[in-house]
Amino acid sequence: MKKLVLASNNPGKLREFAQLLAPLDFEVRPQADFDIPEAEEPHRTFVENALVKARHAARLSGLPALADDSGLCVEALGGAPGVYSARYGGEPKSDERNNAKLLAELAGQKNRRAHYVCVLVLMRHADDPQPIVVEGEWHGEILNAPRGTGGFGYDPLFFVPEFGCSSAELPADQKNAISHRGKALQLLIARLRPAT
Ligand code: IMP
């Protein structure tokens, strides 16, 4: 199996990437396995942060690196929490506080439209001048109260109209098939497959 270092230690993401990349013969290892500390994410866009994270992990591991930068963009909040999704409720990062803050910011708001974004960057090595960059989106609405126990992050508040439930109520394989990360990964896989 080909080793790929994932520039994240988030167990939810690791599980999803490992499941989705196993059929392509990739063994996805978290950067913690190589004692790589989390990179700074100083930028205002998903793509800039993903590039920085992938380069950092490739440089320190000597392996190809995959970075994901993702988050939730809420229309009525001008795209917030966006790149600040992980720490929206303050430090240390907490899904519970993030969700509570999101509900408070949207109190009384009729427009609940939101979408998840996932940018994936695959760098073959730290000086790769042409990394693969793909982006997926998943559209839904923010609920008034949490529902479900699956997934992670904002999933209990993210209503998926096609299924009439929250993304925390979807089985993992169903979420993977339609999520922002799943869509971005399908695009990445298409780019990795040799042309036939
Ligand atoms: P990142 O690790 O910098 O990409 O931050 C992503 C943050 O966005 C996570 O900590 C979650 O708060 C949120 N997020 C991204 N993808 C998902 C998802 O699939 N479900 C729920 N929350 C997500």
Side-chain angles (χ1 to χ4, degrees), residues 13 41 53 68-71 85-86 116 152-155 175 180-181:
K13 288 184 188 175
E41 296 179 38
K53 288 195 275 189
D68 140 290
D69 202 50
S70 57
S85 292
Y116 282 124
F152 66 98
Y154 297 91
D155 282 337
K175 180 185 170 191
H180 49 313
R181 197 164 298 104

